[in-house]
Amino acid sequence: MGVLLKKPPNAAGAAWPAIVVGLFVAFGGVLFGYDTGTIGGILAMPFWLKTFSTGAVDKMGQPAITAQQSSEIVSLLSAGTFFGALTAAPTGDFFGRRYGLIVSVGVFTIGVILQTAATAIPLFVAGRFFAGYGVGMISALIPLYQSETAPKWIRGTIVGAYQLAITIGLLLAAIVDNATKDRNDTGSYRIPIAVQFAWAIILVGGLLILPETPRMYIKRGKPEQAAKSLSRLRRLDVDHPALIEELGEITANHEYELSLGKATYIDCFKGNLGKRLATGCLLQALQQLTGVNFIFYYGTSFFTNSGIKNGFTVSLITSCVNVGSTFPGLYLVEKWGRRNLLLFGAIGMATCQFIVAGVGTGVGLDNLPGQRALIAFVCIYIFFFACSWGPVAWVVTGEIFPLKVRAKSLSMTTASNWLLNWAIAYATPYMVNSGPGNANLQAKVFFVWGGCCFICIFFVWTMIYETK
């Protein structure tokens, strides 16, 4: 990491303020990761199931929820994020990047309040939708704020830190769920949900101190404010030659964008741009179809139902592997290039998924060595995902679009990620669970994810060119 943060000798001004700002704003990824991760543990908590169950019971005769309820609770967050991602760009343009983020955190907080207050599924689901809407807006606005404040030489690493913050959020969710799972009161699920108020307060507190982005001021025709903002970020005087040069560059870029004219959404689908949009949307859709969110949404309940006694501990282990494996990804994306890393990840993930599916189906899940092999290969699979498809899908979609259509095309690729996220969250309980109307695939579901990882290999080989 030290190598990545080393300032080039010809870069004027202090690097640390912009790095600190970029890394602090990446903290928003913790909100996103924590919110995604916490539900997996809550769905397996005995007290939560007893409170929210509408009469269904599991194999042991304990209170449970139906596949329909489970898919509704998990998938509505993703439905909210889909709409949130699409409204993020207009929100960021109307309020500015900084206040746009504060508004997004406000929407997220409404969702957290509703979930904390809930004692039945309808209010809980409404809270999930609002929290998702806020998370969707945050997920699109943070990389925008980071790329408009970070110095050029470190922009890639700063934006990559957002993916790292998401994995840290998932890990924190696993830790808190593990700590409260055995409580026999509403604290078992209310504490993990209410912890999110702390993340919201930290993010808003910091945003009230941080400057608006210089590019936003230029866009609004306020060059003096832009100079002040850049002066704070670079620790240079307003009349320093390096600062005047960078400001000139931002202004020239903005004027160049205006000279290209307005691009409509229809333009994004035409000719070569349409091919790039299809590539970006497919890349983001396939990132979801690798099955990683199955492990973070339903992993705890899947492992518990599979007879593995400590489902919460397994989720804690997978979250630790996820965080640790993101670091080599941030390094390898520049060293190996985007295409090679995606190919490496897809081959590794496909192999692991087929082994997990084979072990789970062939040996059976009551077999202790079989359980250990299953957990080991799930962890190796997460390593391959976290160092390749996790961060690199975002890097590639950020690099393949020309300036004129970049904002619109990126909103559509991000929305396709959330759309597939919703579809998987919605369909999985029906695919995995036993009972009438369900496919009862159990561990065989890994054949489906493995097949999708196999498609990823062919997709990268035929469609992805090196964008480094």
Side-chain angles (χ1 to χ4, degrees), residues 369-407:
Q371 288 182 6
R372 285 181 181 152
L374 184 130
I375 294 164
F377 278 99
V378 163
C379 289
I380 298 168
Y381 153 74
I382 286 174
F383 162 77
F384 278 113
F385 175 85
C387 75
S388 62
W389 282 73
V392 181
W394 297 99
V395 174
V396 172
T397 49
E399 290 174 340
I400 59 175
F401 298 111
L403 209 54
K404 187 175 179 179
V405 294
R406 186 172 294 159

Side-chain angles (χ1 to χ4, degrees), residues 5 14-28 142 145-146 149-151 153-154 158 161 203 206-207 209-211 232-235:
L5 298 180
W16 66 266
I19 293 172
V20 169
V21 167
L23 293 178
F24 173 78
V25 175
F27 181 81
I142 283 176
Y145 185 95
Q146 288 174 319
T149 51
W153 57 272
I154 197 174
I158 294 277
L203 192 59
L207 285 166
I209 304 165
L210 296 183
R232 274 185 70 187
L233 289 165
R234 303 287 181 266
R235 288 291 185 274

Side-chain angles (χ1 to χ4, degrees), residues 16 28 117 206 208 255 268-269 315 324 345 351 424 426 431 459:
W16 66 266
L208 291 172
E255 282 166 1
C268 300
F269 291 91
S315 292
T351 310
I424 288 163
Y426 185 81
M431 290 161 70
F459 172 73

